[in-house]
Amino acid sequence: SCLQTSLSIWGWGGLGVVLFLVTFGPFAIFYFAFYILFFVVGGFVVTLLFGKSNSEKYLEQCEHSFLPCTSVGIPKCIEEMKREARPIKIDRRLTGANIIDEPLQQVIQFSLRDYVQYWYYTLSDDESFLLEIRQALQYALVQFSARSKETDWQPYFTTRLVDDFGTHLRVFRKAQQRIAEKGDQMKDQAEELVDTFFEVEVEMEKEVCRDLVCTSPKDEEGFLRDLCEVLLYILLPPGDFQNKIMRYFVREILSRGILLPLINQLSDPDYINQYVIWMIRDSNCNYEAFMNIIKLSDNIGELEAVKDKASEELQYLRSLDTAGDDINTIKNQINSLLYVIKVCDSRIQRLQSGKEIDTVKLAANFGKLCTVPLDHILVDNVALQFFMDYMQQTGGQAHLFFWMTVEGYRVTAQQQLEVLQSKQKDGKHQTNQTKGLLRAAAFGVYEQYLSEKASPRVNIDDNLVAKLAETLNHEDPTPEIFDDIQRKVYELMLRDERFYPSFKQNVLYVRMLAELDMLKDPSFRGSDDGEGESFNGSPTGSINLSLDDLSNVPSDETVQLHAYISDTGVCNDHGKTYALYAITVHRRNPNSEETWKTYRRYSDFHDFHMRITEQFENLANILKLPGKKTFNNMDREFLEKRKKDLNAYLQLLLNPEMMKASPALAHYVYDFLENKAYSKGKGDFARKMDTFVNPLRNSMRNVSNAVKSLPDSLAEGMTKMSDNMGKMSERLGQDIKQSFFKVPPLIQKTYSDPDHCRVAAPIDDNVDDNIPLRVMLLLMDEVFDLKERNQWLRRNIKNLLQQLIRATYGDTINRKIVDHVDWMTSPEQVADAVKRFRDAFWPNGILAEAVPQRDKAIRMRTRVAGKTKLLEVMPDELKHIIGAETTRKGILRVFEMFQHTQLNKRMVYVFLERFLETLFPQNKFHELFNKLHSRSKQMQRYKQRLHSTQAPSLQK
C-alpha cells in the first residue's frame, strides 16, 4: 500500500509539472523563483523601516526625559573651544612685600612667555592652561617665601657657607699635593686634577661624591629634574602635583630654563675671572706683580697669549713717528715689551722641555744666598718660625725659647715696675705684692729652663746659673736679672756649628729667604747686554745684580758704592701721574766693577727715609728728606730742584763716615738701590697705625722687637700680676705689636687636623663664639696652609686677628654680623637680587641671547690680569706676617681652583644643597642628596676599596 501511495504521489506530481510546463512554457520556473525572492526581500525591508521608526521615537522620548541634547564628536569640540573662557582670578601677592613681588611677577611672566607661550599658541588660543601654570608657580613661591621667613639664615652665612668653601679649598689643596707626589708628567693634567679632586672628595665626605653631576651633562640634567620635582612636591598642593602634564612643564622650566643656565654661568672660569677683575677694578696693576705672574705661570696658553699681545703692541710702537721727549717714553715701552717677550719665550721653552725646577731647590743648590744676621732673624716674625723649626730639629729649641722668654720677662717686668712707680706717686702702695709676683715669674723662668729638673735644659756655664740662683734667693728680681745668661745663650746660638752656622746651609734657610722675598730665581738674571731699562723699577735685560749679590757685599772699606740721580721723568700709569727718578749706581770691588740703573718715586724715598730713621735714631737729626708739595709738583723747575735735593740726600747717606758709623745701614741702602721695584716696608694701614701710636713710639722702641709673653706655665702668675697692678696697655698700637710675639711652651710642630676631614669641627676653644675671627682664621688656615706649618705662627696670627677685631668693632662684632645678615635677607636686598637676576636673563624685557664664548687668547690674558690683580691687592702687612712666598702661593692656589669648570660646579652644587637643607630642615634633604649622588663611580670605587681593606680584618 505504501508503495502504491508513493507511486501515486510521484505520478500526480509529475503530471502537474508536465501540465505546468505545457501551459506556461519552459521559463515559467525562473519567473516563479524571482517572484518568491522579491516577496521575501520586500517583507524584510518593510519590517526594518517600521522597526527603525519606532526605535527613533523611543530614543527621542528617553533623551528628553534624562539627558540634555548635545552635539556629537568634532563639532562639539569646536563649539566648546569657541566659547569664551571664564576669567581666572590670580592673587599677585607672593611674599607680602610689594618691592619683591613686582620683579618676581615679571620673572614669571617672562619665563612663561619665552619658554611656553611661543609654542603653545601654535596649538591653541586657550589661556586657561597658561593661567593654571602661573597659579601653580605663584603658589610655590608663596610657600617658598613663607619657609624663608621662618628660617634663621645666620648659621648658613657665617658657618656653613664658610665651612663648605674651606672644605672645597682643602680638597683642591690635597688633590694638588697628591698629583705633585706622583711626580710624572701627565698627558692631560687638568683632567687628572679633576679625577684626583673627586677621589679626595669621596675620601673626605665619606658618604657622597658629586663627580657625575659635575662632569656629565646628561647626569646633571637628570639631577636637576629630580631636584625640581622634589621641590614641587614640597611646594605645590597635592592636586596640582598629581597633574603630570603641568608638573613636567614647570619642572623643565625650572631645571633647564633657569637653574642650568645660571649654574653654567656661575661655574664658567672666564666669568669668574672677569668678576674678580671688576671687583678690584680700582687697584692699578703693578709691573713687578705682572712679571712675577709671568715667571710663575705654568700654562703655555697664558704665556703665548701675553707674548702675542706684546708683539702686537711692539709692532704698533715701532710704527709710530715720534720725536722729542716722546721718543724716550716710546723706547722705554719698547724695552719693557722686549723683556716681556723674552721672559715668555724662556718660560715656554722650559715648560715644553719638561725641565721645570723648584726655585727654592735651584737656589739651594746653585744660587748665591744673602746673609741675614741672627739678631734680625730673632725679631722678624716670618724668619723666626723657620729658625724655630730648625732649632727643634737639632734639639736646640730650649736655647731659643729661653732667649725669647727672657725678652718677654724683661719687657713685662719693666712695665710692671713703671706702673708700680706711678701708683706710688699717687699714694698707692703695692710694693710687696708686685715684687712677689716678679719673683714668682723669675723663679718660673729658672725652673723652666735652668734648673736640674728642666727638660730640656739650657746648657750654659754652671757658675752663671749658680750666681743667678743666689740672686733669686737673696735679692729682689730686676728686669735685667737674666741678661748675662741670655747673652751667653745668644752667643752660643750664633757661634755653635749646630745652630745658626748650620742653619744657613739648611733648606729651611732658603725657604726663609723666599718668604722674606729675598730669593730671586737665578734663571731669570739677565746680562750686561745693555738691552735697556723700563720704568717703575721693572726688570730689564740689563739686570745682573740681585739682592743676593748686594747683601753679600763685605762691610770693609774696599767696597765703594756711589749713586746719583741721572735723569727725571713724568710717568702716567692708568691716569695716575707721578715723577720718576733714574738713579745710576756704581759699585766697585777689589776684583770687579758694576754699574746699573734703578728707578724710584718720591714715595719710595719717603718710605725708605721713615724706615732707616726708625731703626737708627741718630740719622733723624742728620738726614733731611726734601718736603712734599701738593700742587704743581710736576713742573720741570720743581722736579729739577727736587732732583738736586735728593742727590744731596743720597751723597750724605753714602758718605763713608756715615756708613762706618752705622754698619747695619748698608743692608737697607743696598735694598733701596737694587735694580727692582722697591718693596715698601709699610702699607697704608701700617702708616695710619704708626700715626695713631706715635705717642707710644719712644716708650715702645725697645719693646717692639721683643717677645711679649711667657710660656704657659708662667702665664697664670703674670696674668694675676697684670690684674692686680693694672693693664699692661690699653692702647691699640701696643696690643697689635704684642700680638706678634706670643711664645708657646716647648712644643713640637703638630698637625692638629687630619689629612681627610671636612672643615666643620671647632677651630679653637675661644674662637667659635667670635664669628669674624672664626671665619678669618679658617680661611687663612686653608688658603695659606697654616696648619701644616709652625703652630707658633698660627697662634700669632690668631692673636693679631683678635686684637684687630677687638680694636675695630669691640665686643659688639657678633651683633653687627647678625644685623648684617638680617640686612642681606631684608626685602630691599632680596628685591635687588631678583632685579639683577631679571636684568641678567631678560635685559630690557627681552630674553638674553647666549653669550658667545670669547676667544681663547682673550680668556688667557684675562686669567693673567686676574692673577696680577689678586697678587697686587694683597697688603704688604700680610706678607710680613706669614711670608711673601706663602702669600703668593696661597693666592695663586685660590685663583687656580676657580679655573676648572667641573670644580666650580661642585662648589655651586654644595652651596645649593646646604641652602635647601637650611630652608627645609624637616625634609631630610641630606639623605636625599646622598641617594641622588649614589650612582657616582668614585663612590662605588671607594666602597670597593673600603670593603677590600676591611675584609682581611673581618676574617681575622
Side-chain angles (χ1 to χ4, degrees):
S1 61
C2 292
L3 180 62
Q4 293 177 355
T5 302
S6 175
L7 291 173
S8 64
I9 292 173
W10 280 105
W12 289 104
L15 179 62
V17 169
V18 172
L19 293 175
F20 179 82
L21 292 175
V22 171
T23 303
F24 298 99
F27 294 100
I29 189 170
F30 294 103
Y31 295 131
F32 182 74
F34 184 75
Y35 294 151
I36 294 174
L37 178 64
F38 266 84
F39 176 79
V40 174
V41 173
F44 178 77
V45 171
V46 170
T47 303
L48 180 63
L49 292 176
F50 178 77
K52 180 177 180 297
S53 176
N54 289 338
S55 298
E56 287 178 352
K57 291 179 181 180
Y58 179 77
L59 289 176
E60 185 176 358
Q61 292 176 359
C62 293
E63 289 176 357
H64 286 292
S65 300
F66 304 102
L67 298 175
C69 183
T70 59
S71 300
V72 181
I74 294 177
K76 171 62 178 175
C77 294
I78 296 175
E79 181 181 352
E80 290 292 334
M81 294 177 67
K82 289 182 178 180
R83 290 181 181 179
E84 183 177 356
R86 292 178 298 176
I88 300 177
K89 296 183 179 179
I90 296 180
D91 190 354
R92 299 181 65 86
R93 294 174 300 177
L94 298 174
T95 64
N98 292 331
I99 57 175
I100 302 178
D101 294 347
E102 181 181 353
L104 268 180
Q105 288 289 352
Q106 292 178 343
V107 170
I108 295 174
Q109 178 182 348
F110 293 155
S111 300
L112 294 176
R113 181 195 67 188
D114 295 324
Y115 295 115
V116 178
Q117 291 179 3
Y118 81 96
W119 59 265
Y120 178 76
Y121 282 145
T122 62
L123 303 177
S124 172
D125 295 331
D126 183 27
E127 295 187 357
S128 59
F129 176 71
L130 300 177
L131 293 176
E132 292 289 345
I133 291 182
R134 186 184 188 113
Q135 194 172 22
L137 286 175
Q138 292 193 174
Y139 184 87
L141 287 174
V142 170
Q143 297 298 317
F144 184 88
S145 174
R147 291 288 187 100
S148 300
K149 294 176 181 178
E150 298 172 357
T151 303
D152 180 12
W153 292 107
Q154 184 264 330
Y156 174 75
F157 286 107
T158 61
T159 302
R160 296 177 184 176
L161 208 62
V162 181
D163 287 347
D164 288 333
F165 179 79
T167 300
H168 187 83
L169 183 56
R170 178 177 296 181
V171 174
F172 181 76
R173 177 164 51 83
K174 295 293 183 183
Q176 281 188 324
Q177 292 175 357
R178 187 168 297 184
I179 289 179
E181 290 171 358
K182 294 180 180 179
D184 52 351
Q185 295 294 329
M186 307 295 177
K187 293 183 178 180
D188 190 345
Q189 195 168 8
E191 183 177 351
E192 180 70 17
L193 177 62
V194 172
D195 293 339
T196 307
F197 178 92
F198 289 109
E199 287 180 6
V200 178
E201 183 197 20
V202 71
E203 294 172 2
M204 187 172 294
E205 296 280 0
K206 309 294 185 191
E207 299 177 348
V208 65
C209 184
R210 303 169 182 85
D211 55 336
L212 281 181
V213 176
C214 300
T215 58
S216 171
K218 181 179 179 180
D219 290 300
E220 182 181 14
E221 292 178 5
F223 173 81
L224 289 177
R225 288 194 185 99
D226 294 339
L227 180 60
C228 290
E229 192 149 355
V230 172
L231 291 176
L232 292 177
Y233 173 77
I234 296 174
L235 298 175
L236 288 180
D240 290 342
F241 182 79
Q242 296 301 326
N243 187 337
K244 292 185 177 181
I245 297 178
M246 184 181 67
R247 186 174 82 221
Y248 291 160
F249 274 122
V250 176
R251 184 191 68 181
E252 292 300 315
I253 292 174
L254 291 177
S255 62
R256 294 179 58 85
I258 297 178
L259 287 180
L260 188 60
L262 180 62
I263 292 173
N264 288 336
Q265 184 178 18
L266 295 177
S267 305
D268 183 15
D270 190 51
Y271 172 80
I272 297 175
N273 296 339
Q274 294 180 65
Y275 188 72
V276 168
I277 295 174
W278 177 83
M279 287 183 63
I280 51 180
R281 59 191 179 279
D282 294 332
S283 81
N284 295 325
C285 286
N286 180 275
Y287 190 87
E288 184 183 16
F290 171 72
M291 293 308 304
N292 283 335
I293 292 300
I294 296 301
K295 294 175 183 179
L296 294 172
S297 176
D298 57 358
N299 189 306
I300 296 179
E302 291 180 0
L303 298 170
E304 290 179 343
V306 173
K307 176 186 172 183
D308 293 341
K309 189 64 176 179
S311 301
E312 180 182 336
E313 292 292 327
L314 186 63
Q315 293 178 359
Y316 170 74
L317 291 176
R318 284 174 171 171
S319 67
L320 296 178
D321 185 12
T322 58
D325 295 337
D326 292 339
I327 193 171
N328 294 325
T329 303
I330 297 299
K331 285 183 178 180
N332 285 335
Q333 295 177 357
I334 290 176
N335 290 331
S336 298
L337 292 173
L338 288 173
Y339 180 73
V340 170
I341 295 174
K342 179 180 178 181
V343 172
C344 289
D345 285 334
S346 175
R347 187 67 180 161
I348 291 173
Q349 291 176 3
R350 178 181 296 185
L351 292 174
Q352 290 177 340
S353 64
K355 297 180 180 179
E356 180 65 14
I357 302 176
D358 190 295
T359 304
V360 174
K361 295 180 181 179
L362 186 64
N365 294 327
F366 305 103
K368 189 177 181 181
L369 305 179
C370 64
T371 299
V372 181
L374 179 60
D375 56 342
H376 287 193
I377 292 176
L378 293 176
V379 298
D380 187 277
N381 190 58
V382 175
L384 182 58
Q385 60 171 307
F386 290 97
F387 187 58
M388 188 181 298
D389 286 343
Y390 176 78
M391 293 295 281
Q392 289 177 348
Q393 293 177 5
T394 58
Q397 68 269 28
H399 300 80
L400 176 60
F401 287 147
F402 171 77
W403 187 92
M404 298 166 66
T405 303
V406 170
E407 287 292 312
Y409 169 82
R410 182 189 302 111
V411 172
T412 305
Q414 289 174 350
Q415 292 175 343
Q416 297 307 313
L417 291 177
E418 290 175 1
V419 172
L420 178 62
Q421 293 174 1
S422 64
K423 290 190 175 183
Q424 286 177 342
K425 292 179 181 180
D426 297 336
K428 300 177 181 179
H429 301 282
Q430 293 179 336
T431 305
N432 293 333
Q433 184 179 7
T434 302
K435 291 182 178 180
L437 291 173
L438 284 176
R439 184 184 300 277
F443 266 108
V445 177
Y446 176 82
E447 293 291 334
Q448 181 84 15
Y449 299 104
L450 301 174
S451 68
E452 296 294 337
K453 301 178 181 179
S455 178
R457 184 174 181 269
V458 174
N459 296 321
I460 205 67
D461 189 357
D462 292 337
N463 293 329
L464 289 176
V465 177
K467 182 179 178 181
L468 173 64
E470 183 71 18
T471 303
L472 287 174
N473 290 326
H474 298 91
E475 299 179 10
D476 292 333
T478 63
E480 297 81 16
I481 192 171
F482 294 101
D483 283 5
D484 292 339
I485 297 181
Q486 186 192 32
R487 193 177 303 110
K488 288 292 184 180
V489 170
Y490 176 83
E491 293 178 358
L492 179 66
M493 291 190 296
L494 179 65
R495 305 187 186 284
D496 194 316
E497 286 296 329
R498 296 174 299 165
F499 303 140
Y500 177 68
S502 297
F503 174 62
K504 293 190 294 183
Q505 308 300 322
N506 194 276
V507 68
L508 287 173
Y509 184 79
V510 183
R511 290 176 55 194
M512 180 195 73
L513 295 180
E515 295 293 354
L516 296 175
D517 214 10
M518 300 173 67
L519 185 66
K520 185 172 291 187
D521 188 346
S523 64
F524 284 109
R525 294 181 183 175
S527 59
D528 296 329
D529 54 9
E531 196 171 353
E533 301 88 7
S534 62
F535 60 89
N536 201 19
S538 58
T540 67
S542 63
I543 293 178
N544 63 350
L545 194 65
S546 71
L547 181 59
D548 305 343
D549 304 313
L550 292 171
S551 300
N552 277 301
V553 177
S555 58
D556 57 15
E557 298 180 356
T558 59
V559 178
Q560 298 180 6
L561 188 67
H562 303 281
Y564 65 94
I565 300 177
S566 57
D567 197 8
T568 304
V570 178
C571 293
N572 190 304
D573 187 11
H574 293 82
K576 185 177 181 181
T577 304
Y578 55 87
L580 203 63
Y581 300 91
I583 305 175
T584 300
V585 185
H586 183 75
R587 187 181 73 171
R588 180 180 301 167
N589 292 329
N591 301 323
S592 63
E593 189 171 324
E594 298 169 305
T595 301
W596 68 90
K597 280 188 177 182
T598 189
Y599 295 84
R600 296 289 178 260
R601 298 172 56 178
Y602 176 80
S603 61
D604 299 332
F605 277 95
H606 186 266
D607 183 89
F608 170 71
H609 180 75
M610 288 180 58
R611 187 186 299 187
I612 62 175
T613 52
E614 286 180 11
Q615 294 294 328
F616 309 96
E617 297 180 29
N618 59 322
L619 295 182
N621 298 323
I622 301 175
L623 291 173
K624 301 297 181 183
L625 187 70
K628 294 183 178 181
K629 184 179 180 182
T630 306
F631 302 103
N632 298 325
N633 54 8
M634 294 294 126
D635 293 344
R636 174 59 60 180
E637 294 181 1
F638 174 76
L639 292 179
E640 289 297 328
K641 181 180 183 302
R642 176 172 281 182
K643 170 186 171 183
K644 181 179 178 181
D645 294 339
L646 290 176
N647 258 326
Y649 177 86
L650 279 177
Q651 302 314 312
L652 181 60
L653 179 66
L654 295 175
N655 187 291
E657 296 298 327
M658 178 83 71
M659 303 292 285
K660 186 176 180 180
S662 304
L665 178 64
H667 172 75
Y668 295 93
V669 175
Y670 293 151
D671 184 31
F672 180 71
L673 296 178
E674 185 190 2
N675 189 356
K676 69 170 188 177
Y678 180 62
S679 178
K680 290 183 171 59
K682 299 174 183 283
D684 293 336
F685 175 76
R687 295 181 188 279
K688 294 176 182 178
M689 292 308 304
D690 280 343
T691 303
F692 182 77
V693 302
N694 190 54
L696 301 175
R697 181 159 291 153
N698 293 331
S699 63
M700 293 297 297
R701 181 80 63 180
N702 298 323
V703 182
S704 60
N705 294 329
V707 184
K708 302 298 190 299
S709 66
L710 298 176
D712 290 349
S713 60
L714 309 179
E716 183 177 357
M718 297 310 295
T719 302
K720 292 180 179 179
M721 180 170 61
S722 298
D723 293 340
N724 295 330
M725 301 303 297
K727 297 180 181 178
M728 290 174 57
S729 175
E730 298 178 352
R731 304 180 211 185
L732 173 64
Q734 195 166 349
D735 285 342
I736 291 179
K737 291 181 179 180
Q738 287 178 350
S739 67
F740 279 101
F741 301 98
K742 299 292 182 183
V743 184
L746 294 179
I747 56 173
Q748 296 293 329
K749 181 177 178 180
T750 61
Y751 300 90
S752 59
D753 186 58
D755 288 339
H756 302 291
C757 68
R758 282 185 53 83
V759 181
I763 296 179
D764 273 318
D765 294 339
N766 59 343
V767 168
D768 278 349
D769 292 337
N770 191 320
I771 295 174
L773 179 61
R774 181 187 185 281
V775 171
M776 295 172 68
L777 188 58
L778 186 147
L779 292 181
M780 292 192 72
D781 274 344
E782 298 306 325
V783 173
F784 303 111
D785 200 10
L786 296 183
K787 287 191 176 182
E788 301 292 333
R789 300 180 59 185
N790 195 303
Q791 294 301 299
W792 173 82
L793 173 66
R794 187 173 180 272
R795 290 180 56 179
N796 287 345
I797 294 174
K798 189 189 80 171
N799 294 328
L800 173 64
L801 294 176
Q802 284 177 324
Q803 298 290 349
L804 288 176
I805 292 170
R806 186 181 300 114
T808 307
Y809 297 102
D811 297 329
T812 62
I813 180 63
N814 283 358
R815 178 68 259 171
K816 293 182 178 179
I817 289 180
V818 173
D819 293 341
H820 185 71
V821 172
D822 293 339
W823 173 79
M824 291 172 58
T825 56
S826 64
E828 292 79 8
Q829 294 302 310
V830 174
D832 186 61
V834 175
K835 290 178 182 177
R836 288 199 301 267
F837 175 81
R838 177 200 62 192
D839 296 338
F841 276 78
W842 292 278
N844 299 321
I846 301 174
L847 182 64
E849 297 181 358
V851 180
Q853 191 174 26
R854 301 198 305 166
D855 181 72
K856 180 181 178 180
I858 297 177
R859 289 186 283 116
M860 290 294 104
R861 288 195 291 270
T862 304
R863 285 183 54 167
V864 174
K867 285 193 284 188
T868 304
K869 285 274 191 178
L870 280 178
L871 204 62
E872 175 62 21
V873 81
M874 286 298 104
D876 291 336
E877 288 77 18
L878 185 61
K879 299 177 183 178
H880 296 159
I881 294 173
I882 63 176
E885 186 71 11
T886 298
T887 303
R888 188 160 44 241
K889 287 184 177 179
I891 297 304
L892 294 181
R893 179 187 297 120
V894 174
F895 185 85
E896 180 63 25
M897 181 182 70
F898 288 112
Q899 304 312 305
H900 303 274
T901 303
Q902 299 93 331
L903 307 190
N904 295 338
K905 282 191 175 184
R906 188 261 177 193
M907 185 166 58
V908 173
Y909 280 116
V910 169
F911 289 163
L912 178 61
E913 291 172 11
R914 296 296 176 269
F915 175 82
L916 294 176
E917 290 174 9
T918 304
L919 187 63
F920 304 101
Q922 305 299 328
N923 294 99
K924 299 181 180 180
F925 264 95
H926 181 72
E927 299 178 6
L928 172 66
F929 288 129
N930 289 347
K931 292 180 180 179
L932 291 178
H933 295 301
S934 60
R935 295 186 299 107
S936 165
K937 296 180 181 178
Q938 292 286 357
M939 192 70 195
Q940 294 173 1
R941 285 197 290 264
Y942 173 74
K943 289 181 178 179
Q944 292 175 357
R945 292 196 303 268
L946 192 64
H947 178 72
S948 61
T949 56
Q950 291 178 349
S953 60
L954 292 176
Q955 292 176 359
K956 292 181 180 179

